[in-house]
Every structure is written in C-alpha cells, then in structure tokens.
Amino acid sequence: MASPQLIFVDGTFAELAQEMADYIQIGDQVKPFLEKEQNEEALQAIVKASNFLNSVPEKEFTAAYNLLIHLVLQAKEPKKYLPTVCGNLLKPITSSPTHGFTLASGALSTIFNLLEVKNPLRYNVFLQIVRFLRQHGQFELMKPRLKNLDLWFEEWETDEDDQRKLLVEVSDAAAESGDEEEAYHYLLKAIGTFDRDDQEEITSEEAQKLALKAVRSAISSPTRFDFQDLRALPSVQALNDSHPVYAQLLDIFTEQDLEDYNDFREEHEGWIEKEKLDHEKLQRKMRLLTFASLGASTPSREIPYDSIVKALAITPEEVELWTIDVIRAGLVEGRLSQSKRVFLLHRTTYRVFGEKQWRELGTRIDQYKVVVDRLTAVVRKAQTDVEAQREREQQEVERKLAGVGLGGQGGGERRRGPQKPRTEDDD
C-alpha cells in the first residue's frame, strides 16, 4: 500500500471545520452549528457530504482528505464517522482514474496509522483496507501486514466473531488473487475461531459452510496432499452428520487409494459432477496419493512396475510419467531401474501415521536391525582376520630374527684374522 501521509494542520476545530465545509460547498449549512459550538452536528453534516472529495482535483485530494481525517479523529466518537469516510474511499476517485488507487490507499493508510496502536477502531479500518485491496486485486500489497494479525487481535481485544470475519475476508482476497496456499491458510484460521467445546457453535450454519469450503479447496488443490490438519478441526468432523458424502470423500483423500475413490464414484454416481468438482483433477490427485501409499507399504524399498500399473490403473508405458509426477509432487524420492523394471524407493511420505504405520515402521526397523547385525558381524570378522594376519606376520618376523641370531652363535667363536705386525708407531 501507499505510504501514510503526515498531517499538518493549524487552527481551531471551528476554523478547520468551516474551511472544509466551504470546500465541499456546504459552508452555509455548517456555519450556524459552529456559531452555536455544536461541533458534532457540524462534523456530521461535513462527513455526510464528504463523498464530494472523490471528485476534487488530484493535486488537492490528499490535503483535503487529511483535513477531513483530522476533524474526524477530533470527534468524541470517531467510530460514528469512520465507516462513511472509509466507505467513500472504496468508491471510484472520479477525478483521477489513473492514480485513484494510490490516492485512496494513501488516505486509508493514514487513518490506520494515526489511530493509537491499541485502538480497537484499527480493526474496522483494516477490514476496509482488506476489502479495498481485494476490490482492486492487490492482495500482494496486503501480505506483509498479515504477519501482524495475531498480535493486532490481541492488542485490539478482538472477539472471535470479528476475527473470523476479517480472516474470511483475507482468505477470499487471496483466493481471488490466485494465491491458493494463503487462501487455505487463512480459511483454516477462520474455522479455528469456533469454540471446539461448543457443539452448537461448531455445527452452526456458518461453521459448516466454512468447513465445506475448506474441504472442497483441499481436495481440489493440485499441491495439497496433507489433510490431517483439516480433518482435526471439530467443525470439519461435524460434516459427518451434516454432509456425510463430503466427509466420506475427505476420508478417501486422507488415507485411502484410487480403488476406493472409484468405488465412491460408483456408489454416488453423478454426485461429483453435481457438486461441480473436477473428476479429472481428483482422479489425478488420487493416483499420486496412491503411489505414495504404495511406497509407504513396500518394505523392500523396490516397487515392481506391475504393482504400480495395478495400483494406479495405468499402462506400463505410463509408469515413467507418473513416477516423474509423484517425485515432482514431493511425495516420494527414488529412481527407476529399467533393467530390473522396479522403482527404487529412497523416501516416501506417510499420508497418515496411525497403528498400521507404526507396525510397518516396526517391521522396517527389524529389517534394518538384521542388516546392521549382519554388517556388524562382517566388520568384526574382518577385524579379527586383520588382527590374526598381523599376529602371524609379527610371529614370522620374530622367527626370522631369531633364526639369524642362532646362526651367528652356532659357529662357535669367530676366527681372528692374521695379526698385523707391530711397528714402532704402535708404541
């Protein structure tokens, strides 16, 4: 968003109010109120006519709105007037079609930043800012501020209903901009504001509507493969009663396979099309999830081509393409062995981790233990062989040295050579 503008004003409230009234052409109407010191009535008339500012020359827009904002913030109850002012800024700036967005966003930011940090009115202004950016398709400009939401809710002492209202607005803005991840994230946060211990609240029409929206978003997303956080929400669990077919479909995407999905389609023939879900996208996603499950349930870490063909209901020629897709999705890691016609699995993603997965993990740990024990035995044997060989070599060296020594002593006293005749120099 545009940077907030600083406001520099000089004069009493009556002088500034009269100046603004004259500017928006209601000076005669406001003057009697100011003469009787009826400032609230004067301000009410000014704010009511303030939509006039949307048509003032572009170069005068910021100064005019700054004066209006100053007057409103001097009121005893600014909250009476801010909705009208913010509402006007959400309307077209007719005097500047090109720069209207920048001018209006600057004015909205000014209002927000001039309010005290802990002033609850900031919530209302920020809600209007979100709606304004959504209206103009500028969600990216909003994102840097969203990291402060939790802190702001605490500072403003915002109740759960208002938190949910703003979070849903943010989610919708993200969805309309094409940012599915952010849209889903804030939708789940909105659903999380329902009291999980209040059965009436989590089964309310609003709660079920948002839960259903989240389920549709999750199963339709081409990049979302983990549904545990979604299924853990009480409002989503309540769909078992209010929308059992959707609950069944979510269970399939959470932990079941392509065969279960196909059975679901047969059981509820035409339901997917009626709900305007894309069967091709859902089927593709289920194939990827099934591949991940196949990898997680294969102790040998080698998946034969035939197993992939059967589980994914594809032809042998398609195995390589689906393997590439599932690796790109981040669900598995590994490589194909064309010679052995197997997929060599290095890592896989567990879609759920329950009793069955613990048993599989226990089996693999036992297998690894056997392998490690064998390796340990091989290493120990090699160490023993090396030590034995070293000992034999040492003994051989000692034997040879002993042989040399014995040979020198066996000849008796060594013979002396002929003595050299003495000479006079020897003395």
Side-chain angles (χ1 to χ4, degrees):
M1 287 192 64
S3 300
Q5 301 292 323
L6 295 175
I7 294 181
F8 298 96
V9 292
D10 185 22
T12 65
F13 180 89
E15 291 171 342
L16 296 172
Q18 188 62 58
E19 180 182 344
M20 173 56 71
D22 291 339
Y23 187 74
I24 61 176
Q25 301 177 7
I26 60 167
D28 293 340
Q29 178 185 344
V30 169
K31 186 174 182 179
F33 293 131
L34 295 174
E35 289 176 345
K36 297 176 184 178
E37 297 185 356
Q38 296 176 335
N39 292 346
E40 288 296 316
E41 289 78 357
L43 183 57
Q44 185 175 353
I46 290 171
V47 170
K48 185 178 180 180
S50 62
N51 61 338
F52 175 89
L53 297 181
N54 287 24
S55 61
V56 302
E58 181 181 317
K59 62 182 180 180
E60 299 175 10
F61 180 92
T62 299
Y65 256 103
N66 282 350
L67 179 54
L68 176 63
I69 293 168
H70 173 75
L71 291 172
V72 167
L73 296 183
Q74 303 309 304
K76 293 179 181 179
E77 296 185 83
K79 65 180 181 181
K80 290 170 55 179
Y81 310 111
L82 284 176
T84 300
V85 176
C86 292
N88 288 340
L89 290 167
L90 266 63
K91 297 174 182 177
I93 309 302
T94 56
S95 61
S96 180
T98 303
H99 302 105
F101 170 80
T102 302
L103 294 171
S105 63
L108 286 167
S109 292
T110 296
I111 299 172
F112 183 82
N113 287 289
L114 286 177
L115 290 167
E116 291 293 331
V117 172
K118 295 186 177 182
N119 191 329
L121 288 178
R122 275 190 147 202
Y123 166 86
N124 302 91
V125 177
F126 190 72
L127 179 60
Q128 296 302 321
I129 290 174
V130 171
R131 288 172 174 169
F132 173 78
L133 294 176
R134 176 185 175 186
Q135 177 180 308
H136 290 273
Q138 296 291 335
F139 176 74
E140 288 298 318
L141 297 179
M142 186 195 312
K143 287 178 69 172
R145 293 194 176 194
L146 296 179
K147 65 180 183 293
N148 300 316
L149 273 184
D150 291 337
L151 175 61
W152 285 345
F153 286 154
E154 184 178 342
E155 290 178 339
W156 303 336
E157 298 181 350
T158 310
D159 62 32
E160 286 76 10
D161 288 345
D162 282 338
Q163 288 184 35
R164 184 163 56 252
K165 184 178 181 180
L166 180 53
L167 290 169
V168 169
E169 196 76 39
V170 170
S171 175
D172 289 343
E176 290 174 8
S177 73
D179 194 332
E180 293 185 0
E181 285 299 312
E182 289 292 283
Y184 184 76
H185 171 71
Y186 286 102
L187 180 57
L188 290 197
K189 285 179 72 72
I191 296 173
T193 61
F194 292 106
D195 186 351
R196 62 175 52 245
D197 296 323
D198 188 335
Q199 189 65 22
E200 183 177 350
E201 187 168 324
I202 64 176
T203 57
S204 65
E205 182 180 353
E206 182 185 12
Q208 293 300 281
K209 180 181 178 181
L210 292 179
L212 199 59
K213 184 177 180 181
V215 170
R216 289 178 59 92
S217 173
I219 64 176
S220 299
S221 169
T223 59
R224 181 160 299 283
F225 300 100
D226 181 6
F227 309 95
Q228 295 286 58
D229 54 348
L230 175 63
R231 204 165 63 159
L233 294 171
S235 298
V236 174
Q237 294 172 1
L239 291 174
N240 285 308
D241 296 322
S242 62
H243 297 82
V245 182
Y246 268 107
Q248 182 184 355
L249 185 59
L250 177 60
D251 287 342
I252 291 173
F253 274 84
T254 302
E255 57 185 338
Q256 297 178 29
D257 297 331
L258 178 65
E259 184 178 356
D260 300 297
Y261 172 74
N262 290 334
D263 290 343
F264 171 88
R265 285 196 69 215
E266 291 180 8
E267 180 184 353
H268 304 284
E269 186 176 357
W271 182 86
I272 287 179
E273 291 74 16
K274 179 183 175 183
E275 293 298 311
K276 297 182 179 179
L277 294 169
D278 191 325
H279 163 63
E280 295 298 326
K281 289 183 178 179
L282 298 185
Q283 186 180 58
R284 180 183 186 280
K285 189 169 183 174
M286 278 308 307
R287 282 195 167 108
L288 297 176
L289 290 169
T290 300
F291 201 130
S293 294
L294 187 61
S297 61
T298 303
S300 67
R301 315 303 283 179
E302 292 187 358
I303 309 177
Y305 278 25
D306 291 343
S307 298
I308 298 173
V309 167
K310 182 179 179 181
L312 273 61
I314 57 176
T315 64
E317 292 75 21
E318 295 177 293
V319 169
E320 185 173 345
L321 293 176
W322 281 102
T323 301
I324 293 172
D325 286 346
V326 78
I327 291 174
R328 283 177 176 172
L331 292 172
V332 301
E333 290 178 6
R335 62 184 179 84
L336 289 170
S337 173
Q338 299 286 0
S339 58
K340 298 174 65 176
R341 292 185 63 77
V342 297
F343 177 68
L344 302 174
L345 186 67
H346 299 161
R347 183 195 65 81
T348 188
T349 299
Y350 280 93
R351 295 165 60 190
V352 293
F353 211 91
E355 183 180 349
K356 177 182 177 182
Q357 286 70 37
W358 280 113
R359 287 199 302 268
E360 290 176 355
L361 180 60
T363 300
R364 289 188 176 181
I365 290 176
D366 290 340
Q367 291 173 340
Y368 293 150
K369 185 175 182 298
V370 170
V371 173
V372 170
D373 288 344
R374 289 175 180 173
L375 289 174
T376 301
V378 171
V379 171
R380 285 176 178 171
K381 184 179 184 304
Q383 288 177 332
T384 302
D385 291 345
V386 169
E387 291 173 0
Q389 179 66 22
R390 186 183 295 122
E391 186 175 349
R392 287 195 297 270
E393 291 175 354
Q394 181 66 26
Q395 291 174 351
E396 180 67 19
V397 170
E398 290 176 355
R399 187 184 66 78
K400 289 181 179 179
L401 289 175
V404 172
L406 289 172
Q409 294 176 0
E413 186 179 354
R414 287 187 299 175
R415 297 178 180 178
R416 296 180 180 178
Q419 293 186 350
K420 185 179 179 181
R422 289 177 60 85
T423 65
E424 294 182 355
D425 294 335
D426 294 331
D427 295 331

